[in-house]
Amino acid sequence: MTSGSEPGPAGGRLPQGIGSESERLVSADADGPEEQVIEAALRPKKLDDFIGQERVREQLSLVLQSALRRGRTPDHVLLSGGPGLGKTTLAMIIAAELGQPLRISSGPAIERAGDLAAVLSTLAEGEVLFLDEIHRLARPAEEMLYMAMEDFRVDVVVGKGPGATAIPLDIAPFTLVGATTRAGMLPGPLRDRFGFVAHMDFYEPAELEIIVRRSARLLDVEISDDGAAEVAGRSRGTPRIANRLLRRVRDYAEVRGDGTVSRESARTALSLYEVDERGLDRLDRAVLGSLLRKFGGGPVGLSTLAVAVGEEPETVEVVAEPFLVRQGLLARTPRGRVATGAAAWAHLGLTPPPTAPMAGTLFDLAEDRDERPDQPE
């Protein structure tokens, strides 16, 4: 693929506000057809070419090779982890390693048990079925999937009421690859039916550097080692974000530079796109800045903090907070959101007041999942 050949208009979600996913360069979601086309071109096709997740790769390799030697379909596979970490890529690699076609669907797309039965009944022997967001599968379809995974059989109900009849339907042995970003929402009976369960971790900067250099070769982009390190360091541990930042840095280098991505051009470009050296973007800094400047570091309730940045509480909680918590800049406590120590103040170049809250006791920093409205003092 040559430079500047990205096709198609970009899709988007949450079209308003500074937290809109379509506006966030550091969003880990693939938002539209352009993103999906480019991702498909950059994805590795073999397990040996997959970078990072070494333990998962080694374990998965044993599962697949054992199944091939025995001439049987491998156990069902469950992949969990945040968006953009390579779950879909691994599903495609599994099918390629087995030499089988891949059928792709998702939990939200299967609304009824009949929808799932239609998919399962058309699978060929050994085919791989990939269900993204499997935790969002409708309950009737989920219960049908139990029997299909264990016995390769589904019961199709014909008729309604007392006259309804269940007709057993045998299906060809297949391998289900399920992907979820919310492993805790997966019912125990469904989780137990997966023979191999793997959790995808965030990537180290050194691994992301390799991914950035590989993607640069595929996109025909000249990039220096320190330029790749700069892009990798701001990618929030996520390959999808690293590839997106690379494309924006490439644009800057081609239009305002000599076409080569260096550390200096990467820093200037990402500063223009408001992605700082730790990977925080405009929304992240708005949330952190409001917490520090307006509320002295907290504690402050989620609703109040959301009003201060002009966003919905759900946007702040789901889009901005997870990365701030992972970076050790913010903590969720029963009393509200608090900045965790001097690092939060230092990142924005602020001096903490003498009474600023620091990292407290284990109880103080315990996450309260039921905390939504502002907590009384």
Side-chain angles (χ1 to χ4, degrees):
M1 180 179 295
T2 58
S3 176
S5 63
E6 299 164 10
R13 292 178 292 180
L14 298 172
Q16 71 283 346
I18 61 176
S20 300
E21 286 297 293
S22 58
E23 295 180 1
R24 301 193 81 220
L25 194 61
V26 293
S27 168
D29 293 322
D31 285 324
E34 175 189 16
E35 189 84 17
Q36 294 167 7
V37 168
I38 297 170
E39 277 195 0
L42 298 180
R43 280 191 174 110
K45 304 300 189 292
K46 298 185 298 183
L47 200 56
D48 290 341
D49 296 334
F50 190 89
I51 300 165
Q53 312 292 342
E54 292 185 9
R55 183 61 60 86
V56 173
R57 283 193 294 118
E58 184 176 359
Q59 294 172 345
L60 188 57
S61 176
L62 290 174
V63 171
L64 298 180
Q65 290 182 28
S66 174
L68 287 172
R69 290 189 178 187
R70 290 182 288 111
R72 303 189 61 180
T73 57
D75 289 337
H76 304 297
V77 176
L78 176 64
L79 304 172
S80 67
L85 297 182
K87 298 184 295 295
T88 301
T89 299
L90 271 184
M92 294 179 174
I93 288 175
I94 288 172
E97 295 282 347
L98 295 173
Q100 296 290 345
L102 177 70
R103 190 81 60 91
I104 299 178
S105 188
S106 67
I110 299 177
E111 300 178 350
R112 298 176 296 273
D115 298 335
L116 180 62
V119 173
L120 294 174
S121 62
T122 59
L123 291 175
E125 184 172 352
E127 192 167 351
V128 178
L129 173 62
F130 176 57
L131 283 183
D132 199 9
E133 297 184 273
I134 193 172
H135 62 274
R136 296 176 60 186
L137 201 64
R139 179 56 61 87
E142 176 190 304
E143 293 175 351
M144 174 177 285
L145 192 58
Y146 295 161
M147 185 180 299
M149 293 173 69
E150 270 193 340
D151 303 326
F152 300 112
R153 182 173 65 89
V154 294
D155 288 338
V156 179
V157 179
V158 178
K160 295 182 179 180
T165 303
I167 301 176
L169 177 66
D170 291 331
I171 58 178
F174 68 100
T175 297
L176 173 65
V177 179
T180 177
T181 57
R182 307 286 295 274
M185 294 181 63
L186 216 61
L190 179 57
R191 184 185 180 92
D192 291 343
R193 282 168 169 80
F194 287 96
F196 176 70
V197 178
H199 178 74
M200 310 281 284
D201 295 317
F202 289 96
Y203 288 62
E204 296 296 328
E207 296 172 334
L208 289 173
E209 283 186 48
I210 299 173
I211 292 173
V212 168
R213 287 197 293 268
R214 176 184 179 275
S215 297
R217 289 195 302 271
L218 294 174
L219 293 171
D220 195 20
V221 176
E222 292 288 337
I223 188 169
S224 64
D225 289 342
D226 55 359
E230 189 68 28
V231 173
R234 304 189 187 208
S235 300
R236 302 164 78 114
T238 306
R240 179 177 290 157
I241 296 176
N243 288 330
R244 188 181 296 137
L245 295 184
L246 172 64
R247 299 198 303 276
R248 300 292 74 82
V249 169
R250 173 208 58 187
D251 295 342
Y252 180 89
E254 289 182 348
V255 175
R256 299 188 181 179
D258 59 3
T260 299
V261 176
S262 62
R263 182 184 294 275
E264 182 179 354
S265 65
R267 284 178 173 174
T268 306
L270 294 176
S271 176
L272 176 65
Y273 285 109
E274 300 183 283
V275 179
D276 67 23
E277 63 274 9
R278 294 185 70 163
L280 275 67
D281 73 345
R282 184 170 45 144
L283 175 61
D284 301 320
R285 289 193 300 275
V287 171
L288 185 61
S290 293
L291 177 62
L292 300 179
R293 294 187 179 96
K294 298 180 180 179
F295 305 105
V300 60
L302 173 62
S303 298
T304 300
L305 185 59
V307 169
V309 297
E311 287 292 336
E312 295 294 326
E314 183 179 2
T315 300
V316 173
E317 184 180 31
V318 175
V319 177
E321 282 188 349
F323 185 67
L324 292 173
V325 171
R326 188 155 57 88
Q327 287 290 297
L329 301 175
L330 177 146
R332 299 169 174 172
T333 79
R335 295 180 298 155
R337 272 54 176 173
V338 298
T340 52
W345 298 85
H347 184 69
L348 296 185
L350 302 175
T351 301
T355 57
M358 296 298 161
T361 64
L362 181 62
F363 173 78
D364 291 333
L365 296 181
E367 178 181 349
D368 183 0
R369 289 184 173 85
D370 295 329
E371 192 264 321
R372 291 294 184 276
D374 299 343
Q375 300 295 319
E377 296 182 359

